[in-house]
C-alpha cells in the first residue's frame, strides 16, 4: 500500500513538472488550439520522427472548435499550462492552409512550415533561457503574411535530459488562426515538414547543457523568416 502511494506521488510530481500549450490570447483551453495527446498527462514527444512531432494531436484529423481572427503585425500570446518549467528553446512555425481546406481540416503534412520565432539562451556560468518559467510567450504574426487561415505551431524543447539521443522533450501544440491585414509579400526561404525537419542527433537537440557549459547554442530547424 505504501509503495503504491509513493509511486502515485512520483507520477503526479513528474506530470506537474511537464506542461501543455492549450490556449492563445485570453481564450479557453482547446478553443482555438487542437487538443494534444498529453492534455491530461502533460507528457512530451521524444521521437522526432513520429507524426506527433507535428501538432501532437490527441485525435488526428479533428480540428479545434474555432479559428481565431488575428491581425498581421500584432503579437499573439501563446499560453503554457501551468508554466514552462524546463530549460530549453521556444520556437513558432506557421503553415498556410491550402485552397479548398480550412484551418480545422488541414493536417499540416508536407514541406509547408516556416519558422517565425526562435529564442536563444544567455550563456555565462550556465545557460539561461528566456522562456523558462513563463506562463505565456508572445509571437509576432508577420505583417507580410497573405490574408487567410493558418496553423500556428508552438514548440518548446526541454533540454534538461538531452545528453543522449531521445532525451530531449518536445512540448507542442497547433493553433488555428485567420490572418487579416497582411501585405501578402511573405516568401519564406526555407520550408520544412514535421517529421523531417529534425534529427535526433542535431546539435540543438542532443546536447548536455550543464557540464561543460556549451559556449554557444544552435537551435534545430531553419532560420527565422523575415518580411
Amino acid at each position: 500500500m505504501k509503495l503504491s502511494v509513493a509511486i502515485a506521488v512520483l507520477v503526479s510530481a513528474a506530470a506537474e513538472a511537464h506542461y501543455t500549450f492549450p490556449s492563445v490570447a485570453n481564450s479557453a483551453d482547446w478553443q482555438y488550439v487542437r487538443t494534444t495527446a498529453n492534455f491530461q498527462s502533460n507528457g512530451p514527444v521524444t521521437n522526432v520522427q513520429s507524426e506527433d512531432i507535428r501538432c501532437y494531436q490527441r485525435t488526428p484529423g479533428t480540428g479545434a472548435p474555432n479559428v481565431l481572427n488575428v491581425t498581421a503585425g500584432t503579437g499573439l500570446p501563446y499560453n503554457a499550462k501551468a508554466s514552462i518549467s524546463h530549460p530549453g528553446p521556444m520556437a513558432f512555425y506557421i503553415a498556410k492552409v491550402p485552397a479548398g481546406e480550412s484551418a480545422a481540416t488541414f493536417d499540416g503534412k508536407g514541406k509547408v512550415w516556416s519558422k517565425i520565432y526562435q529564442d536563444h539562451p544567455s550563456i555565462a556560468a550556465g545557460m539561461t533561457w528566456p522562456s523558462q518559467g513563463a506562463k505565456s510567450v508572445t509571437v509576432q504574426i508577420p505583417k507580410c503574411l497573405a490574408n487567410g487561415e493558418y496553423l500556428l505551431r508552438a514548440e518548446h524543447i526541454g533540454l534538461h535530459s538531452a545528453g543522449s539521443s531521445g532525451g530531449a522533450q518536445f512540448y507542442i501544440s497547433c493553433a488555428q488562426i485567420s490572418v487579416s491585414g497582411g501585405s501578402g509579400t511573405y516568401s519564406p526561404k526555407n520550408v520544412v515538414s514535421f517529421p523531417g525537419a529534425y534529427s535526433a542527433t542535431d546539435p540543438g537537440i542532443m546536447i548536455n547543457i550543464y557540464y561543460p557549459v556549451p559556449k554557444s547554442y544552435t537551435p534545430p530547424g531553419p532560420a527565422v523568416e523575415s518580411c
Side-chain angles (χ1 to χ4, degrees), residues 39-91:
F39 80 107
Q40 289 180 320
S41 71
N42 294 353
V45 179
T46 56
N47 180 0
V48 297
Q49 299 305 323
S50 166
E51 293 289 316
D52 286 340
I53 201 70
R54 187 181 306 123
C55 290
Y56 202 8
Q57 285 182 245
R58 179 189 182 195
T59 309
T62 302
N66 301 108
V67 178
L68 178 68
N69 293 319
V70 300
T71 302
T74 61
L76 178 63
Y78 212 121
N79 307 315
K81 190 175 184 178
S83 65
I84 301 172
S85 59
H86 294 314
M90 185 82 201

